[in-house]
Amino acid sequence: MNESDTDNRDGTGTRRPLPGTGDGTRAVRAGLPEPVKHEPTLPGPVFAAHFHLPGEPTGPYTYGRDENPTWTHLERAIGELEAPGQDDVETLVFASGMAAISSVLFSQLRAGDVAVLPDDGYQALPLVRTQLEAYGIEVRTAPTGGDAQLDVLDGAGLLWIETPSNPGLDVCDVRRLADAAHARGALVAVDNTLATPLGQRPLDLGADFSVASGTKQLTGHGDVLLGYVAGRDAEAMAAVRRWRKIVGAIPGPMEAWLAHRSIATLQLRVDRQNATALMVAEALRARPEITGLRYPGLPDDPSHKIASQQMRRYGCVVSFTLPTRARADRFLDALRLVEGATSFGGVRSTAERRGRWGGDAVPEGFVRLSVGAEDPDDLVADLLRALEESAG
């Protein structure tokens, strides 16, 4: 092997560009080092608080809070999914999705700046707003649907987009919003958690940052807390990296390794879950007790047109409302294949009445259903049976 075959500057031996361009090929091979005889295809997690460092502190690995070889492989894998073939994109992994979100907001904004957030986004965003305002940052909010954030962009320093929104599943035009924000001198970050990089690539749509919780469908097994930030502006990403170092919001090597291992099945899981989610949505649409059914993949969904323009897959989450809180609780209790749990994106279907948390502006009977990898017919049958049993 000659020097042109691999980049060994950091000792991890990056693979040459893949000959295939399919999502499955990319997911299975992403981030793997160049093969070495008798070494594992995916090196095991590196547990190290410090590294041998005689003399001057040069090289990539000096201290465990700054870098870790296991992170490096995972970061490269995610980068290859978020921005295939784009060597100028940097990815940083974090201890959780909220750690990743916080790193962008608090590294890019200063007292006196203006941030625009969605008012229908992830439940923790109101907590983020309170902290931003405590630091002297003005926060404006608007709904995701209808590109309503455009109306409050003037003077903003950063626009935060969540599309599809969680839990309402509204979609906005990322390209339109990004162009408008950049024209006003604002940075743009997109929460890509629900779509995953196989469903949507925010950086290609004009965003400066693609941010996500890897806890959800990216890893898909409900056993890893993880987050990441991807971006191509070196100065902005250096600030994000500095924030990670200062706060110490780093993932453990085992979590990083598990995440990388799980990405290999991402395309298989996503395609199965997305196809089943559409079947579930179509089945639920026929039920008279259900209102407010949302799934961007449905042709008559309010977000379908714009989702079809910028998304390659529509996600695994379906939301709907039952007439009352009691009816929703009875429905959830009657399910046998769907676990009562928060979060979404796992191979085992989950559902919950979101109003129980008190942080989402949803009706009491609102249900967020995360479709897993069970047999579609079995899952649909379980949902319809639970609806019948909960009617009394």
Side-chain angles (χ1 to χ4, degrees), residues 343-367:
S343 196
F344 57 85
V347 292
R348 290 173 291 278
S349 294
T350 61
E352 67 173 339
R353 190 179 60 79
R354 285 298 291 176
R356 65 180 178 168
W357 297 102
D360 295 308
V362 295
E364 286 289 345
F366 181 94
V367 174

Side-chain angles (χ1 to χ4, degrees), residues 16 99 130 132 179 213 311 315 367 379:
R16 289 165 286 180
T130 299
L132 288 170
D179 288 347
S213 167
M311 298 181 72
V367 174
L379 186 58

Side-chain angles (χ1 to χ4, degrees), residues 120-122 162 165-169 317 319 354 360 362 366 368:
D120 56 348
Y122 180 51
E162 186 178 302
S165 61
N166 172 29
L169 303 183
V317 177
S319 66
R354 285 298 291 176
D360 295 308
V362 295
F366 181 94
R368 184 182 70 183

Side-chain angles (χ1 to χ4, degrees), residues 241-257:
R241 180 184 291 273
R242 186 165 55 250
W243 181 263
R244 181 178 72 172
K245 176 183 176 74
I246 293 169
V247 178
I250 59 173
M254 191 66 194
E255 286 79 4
W257 185 86

Side-chain angles (χ1 to χ4, degrees), residues 286-351:
R287 299 293 303 198
E289 68 269 55
I290 285 179
T291 59
L293 176 70
R294 297 299 304 271
Y295 182 68
L298 285 172
D300 59 351
D301 186 272
S303 292
H304 182 71
K305 181 178 180 180
I306 185 58
S308 297
Q309 293 171 9
Q310 66 189 23
M311 298 181 72
R312 297 181 300 132
R313 294 172 175 87
Y314 298 108
C316 65
V317 177
V318 178
S319 66
F320 55 91
T321 300
L322 288 168
T324 64
R325 170 177 177 170
R327 176 69 188 277
D329 286 338
R330 291 197 304 271
F331 165 72
L332 293 169
D333 288 342
L335 291 168
R336 297 172 185 166
L337 291 180
V338 182
E339 300 174 353
T342 193
S343 196
F344 57 85
V347 292
R348 290 173 291 278
S349 294
T350 61

Side-chain angles (χ1 to χ4, degrees), residues 224-236:
V224 173
L225 286 171
L226 193 89
Y228 70 85
V229 179
R232 61 168 48 89
D233 184 279
E235 184 176 350

Side-chain angles (χ1 to χ4, degrees), residues 30-314:
L32 297 180
E34 196 67 26
V36 176
K37 188 175 183 179
H38 305 308
E39 294 294 326
T41 303
L42 176 62
V46 175
F47 298 98
H50 60 268
F51 301 84
H52 288 296
L53 195 65
E56 293 300 315
T58 58
Y61 304 114
T62 59
Y63 186 64
R65 191 179 68 249
D66 299 329
E67 289 289 353
N68 179 291
T70 310
W71 304 351
T72 300
H73 295 309
L74 175 59
E75 288 169 345
R76 288 177 174 167
I78 295 172
E80 289 173 24
L81 299 179
E82 284 279 353
Q86 300 177 42
D87 294 336
D88 59 338
V89 170
E90 179 181 5
T91 304
L92 297 170
V93 290
F94 289 81
S96 68
M98 279 309 302
I101 290 171
S102 299
S103 75
V104 172
L105 291 169
F106 292 105
S107 70
Q108 304 301 317
L109 295 168
R110 303 289 183 271
D113 287 346
V114 175
V116 175
L117 307 181
D119 65 10
D120 56 348
Y122 180 51
Q123 186 187 63
L125 287 182
L127 298 176
V128 173
R129 175 177 187 166
T130 299
Q131 193 61 55
L132 288 170
E133 291 175 338
Y135 289 157
I137 298 164
E138 180 186 344
V139 178
R140 303 172 189 162
T141 62
T144 298
D147 299 340
Q149 289 173 295
L150 284 172
D151 298 333
V152 292
L153 269 182
D154 287 346
L158 188 144
L159 167 64
W160 189 272
I161 296 170
E162 186 178 302
T163 182
S165 61
N166 172 29
L169 303 183
D170 269 321
V171 173
C172 61
D173 187 332
V174 175
R175 174 69 69 183
R176 182 187 183 202
L177 284 165
D179 288 347
H182 289 152
R184 293 163 171 81
L187 293 170
V188 178
V190 175
D191 186 329
N192 203 36
T193 302
L194 201 146
T196 82
L198 298 193
Q200 181 172 265
R201 293 176 182 151
L203 299 180
D204 289 346
L205 296 171
D208 299 290
F209 303 99
S210 181
V211 187
S213 167
T215 308
K216 311 298 193 298
Q217 196 172 21
L218 184 79
T219 56
H221 292 79
D223 55 8
V224 173
L225 286 171
L226 193 89
Y228 70 85
V229 179
R232 61 168 48 89
D233 184 279
E235 184 176 350
M237 289 301 294
V240 174
R241 180 184 291 273
R242 186 165 55 250
W243 181 263
R244 181 178 72 172
K245 176 183 176 74
I246 293 169
V247 178
I250 59 173
M254 191 66 194
E255 286 79 4
W257 185 86
L258 285 169
H260 196 171
R261 180 209 59 174
S262 298
I263 286 175
T265 62
L266 179 62
Q267 182 261 338
L268 298 172
R269 291 185 281 106
V270 164
D271 281 353
R272 173 61 171 263
Q273 290 171 261
N274 281 220
T276 305
L278 181 58
M279 287 183 60
V280 165
E282 290 172 339
L284 295 178
R285 184 168 51 179
R287 299 293 303 198
E289 68 269 55
I290 285 179
T291 59
L293 176 70
R294 297 299 304 271
Y295 182 68
L298 285 172
D300 59 351
D301 186 272
S303 292
H304 182 71
K305 181 178 180 180
I306 185 58
S308 297
Q309 293 171 9
Q310 66 189 23
M311 298 181 72
R312 297 181 300 132
R313 294 172 175 87
Y314 298 108

